Amino acid sequence: MNTRRAKSTDAAPAPLTTVRATARMESATLKDVARVAGVSPITVSRALNRPEIVHPETVELVQKAVKLTGYIPNQLAGALTGGRTRLVAAIIPHISNSIFVETIQAMSDRLWQDGYQLLLGLSGYPASREDELITAILSRRPDGIVLTGIGHSQETRRKILSTGIPVVEIWDLTPTPLDTVIGFSHVKIGEAIALNLLKKGYRNYGLLCADDERSLIRLQSVADTLAAQGVSEIHREVGKAPSTFQLGRVGLSNLLASGATLDALVCGSDAIAQGALAEAQSRGLTIPKDLAVFGFGDFDFAAHTFPSLSTVRIDKKAIGTRTAEAFISRAAGDDSAEKVIDVGFELIERESI
């Protein structure tokens, strides 16, 4: 049932073109907004927190008053009384040259459509700050938390599970998520890359990645699959995360300096692979005749390197959108959604293999 437009018993509205100096000099309050809009404080509260039950003209009046006064709603106070902050927190390892950018953007865009805001926290590599971030985030009473991967400390697991807050783990898969998991199998990706390269006849392999958990799992899966097929010539180089162009150049240089004979190089990311391509070409190597290079992530530059980069495509936007929709459904009282969602992956063959 819609709340009727403000009655005459509300205080007479101040002109919307003027605001008292004190409202500008000090933090505006809900009462300031009510005075400027000429409605009661409870009407302001309803217009801001449950606009669907307030007359549209009154909502518009309140929104204009909010802009004029510079009022910032206390979402934490609202959460303590109403149980919702419309805040979703996401923890990712890194944003520089990050494979997570499209996922985060898609998540933010979808949450915005339903009036939610995204709070971003960076845990680093390895996720050494995740537990500290979780404590800070929980103090802000978010409506949901997004965690990257499934490898969390026992303390992190205990804190999250004790709150009952909806959690989505992304960029990985497990049959036993904390709550919901949306991602793909790093092990299966490693198997698929190895089998693809074996079919093309490559026998001497180099594995080059940063020391983040998911890259290490993928490349270990490559090594395990190769070993199962009788390939013993596997050389590894692991650099410090995050994955960068520089790591690709330095990593391939180190592998070649060690005397490794390589005809195929599997990289933990497209950024590393791009660096490896540059290093190989600077040494006069022809790609893929002298060295095949395989990346991961299908960054926007992958199709435009020279030669174009073979890689693994993940639907990064789908992960973000489905994560947001999982929270929105839970907030609406729908707990019937899948708990384990596999978005799959696709091997993209280009000129580098």
Side-chain angles (χ1 to χ4, degrees):
M1 181 176 70
N2 286 345
T3 300
R4 293 184 178 180
R5 211 177 315 177
K7 297 180 180 180
S8 59
T9 52
D10 286 323
L16 286 179
T17 54
T18 62
V19 180
R20 290 184 182 179
T22 53
R24 291 293 188 184
M25 295 171 61
E26 302 175 358
S27 296
T29 67
L30 186 140
K31 288 183 178 179
D32 293 328
V33 176
R35 184 178 66 253
V36 171
V39 298
S40 66
I42 190 63
T43 299
V44 172
S45 180
R46 288 172 179 163
L48 294 176
N49 297 307
R50 299 191 63 191
E52 69 276 8
I53 68 169
V54 180
H55 194 287
E57 290 184 11
T58 302
V59 173
E60 183 180 0
L61 193 67
V62 169
Q63 289 174 342
K64 287 181 179 179
V66 167
K67 289 181 180 179
L68 286 168
T69 60
Y71 173 67
I72 299 176
N74 186 340
Q75 296 291 353
L76 180 56
L80 294 173
T81 58
R84 296 175 64 186
T85 60
R86 291 193 171 272
L87 178 71
V88 172
I91 297 178
I92 63 171
H94 212 272
I95 56 173
S96 176
N97 299 319
S98 178
I99 198 169
F100 305 108
V101 168
E102 289 183 48
T103 295
I104 294 300
Q105 186 64 59
M107 190 188 311
S108 178
D109 290 345
R110 181 63 187 89
L111 288 170
W112 177 266
Q113 291 175 16
D114 277 61
Y116 287 84
Q117 300 290 336
L118 185 66
L119 174 67
L120 190 61
L122 305 180
S123 61
Y125 285 112
S128 56
R129 295 194 295 270
E130 185 179 69
D131 186 61
E132 183 179 344
L133 281 169
I134 289 293
T135 300
I137 286 169
L138 290 177
S139 70
R140 287 160 174 78
R141 307 297 197 276
D143 290 338
I145 296 178
V146 180
L147 301 177
T148 303
I150 57 176
H152 317 294
S153 71
Q154 288 300 315
E155 181 66 13
T156 291
R157 291 175 177 273
R158 183 191 64 76
K159 285 181 180 179
I160 291 176
L161 292 174
S162 67
T163 65
I165 292 175
V167 180
V168 177
E169 296 165 286
I170 61 172
W171 280 85
D172 217 328
L173 277 185
T174 175
T176 56
L178 286 171
D179 183 351
T180 300
V181 63
I182 302 175
F184 49 90
S185 171
H186 295 275
V187 172
K188 289 183 178 179
I189 287 175
E191 292 172 351
I193 293 172
L195 293 175
N196 179 279
L197 292 173
L198 283 169
K199 287 180 181 178
K200 295 181 180 299
Y202 297 110
R203 302 299 295 177
N204 302 308
Y205 288 85
L207 307 180
L208 175 56
C209 72
D211 60 351
D212 70 271
E213 181 181 8
R214 287 165 294 282
S215 292
L216 291 170
I217 290 173
R218 284 195 304 275
L219 267 60
Q220 183 60 52
S221 178
V222 171
D224 292 343
T225 304
L226 292 173
Q229 298 297 318
V231 177
S232 57
E233 195 73 12
I234 304 173
H235 303 274
R236 307 185 195 214
E237 179 75 15
V238 178
K240 186 175 177 57
S243 298
T244 62
F245 181 94
Q246 179 183 8
L247 196 159
R249 292 207 65 166
V250 173
L252 178 57
S253 178
N254 290 343
L255 283 169
L256 296 175
S258 72
T261 299
L262 305 176
D263 56 17
L265 179 68
V266 181
C267 300
S269 77
D270 285 354
I272 293 175
Q274 186 185 31
L277 285 176
E279 181 63 24
Q281 291 169 329
S282 74
R283 293 168 176 264
L285 299 178
T286 301
I287 308 295
K289 180 181 177 181
D290 298 322
L291 181 68
V293 178
F294 211 105
F296 172 81
D298 197 25
F299 280 56
D300 56 4
F301 61 76
H304 306 288
T305 59
F306 179 75
S308 56
L309 181 62
S310 298
T311 185
V312 180
R313 177 178 294 163
I314 305 295
D315 195 338
K316 300 181 278 291
K317 292 182 179 179
I319 293 176
T321 299
R322 297 189 72 168
T323 298
E325 289 175 346
F327 288 122
I328 292 167
S329 295
R330 288 284 289 276
D334 181 3
D335 198 24
S336 63
E338 295 177 78
K339 296 299 183 182
V340 179
I341 300 173
D342 186 352
V343 300
F345 61 90
E346 181 183 2
L347 297 189
I348 306 297
E349 290 191 28
R350 296 194 178 105
E351 297 169 343
S352 68
I353 63 172

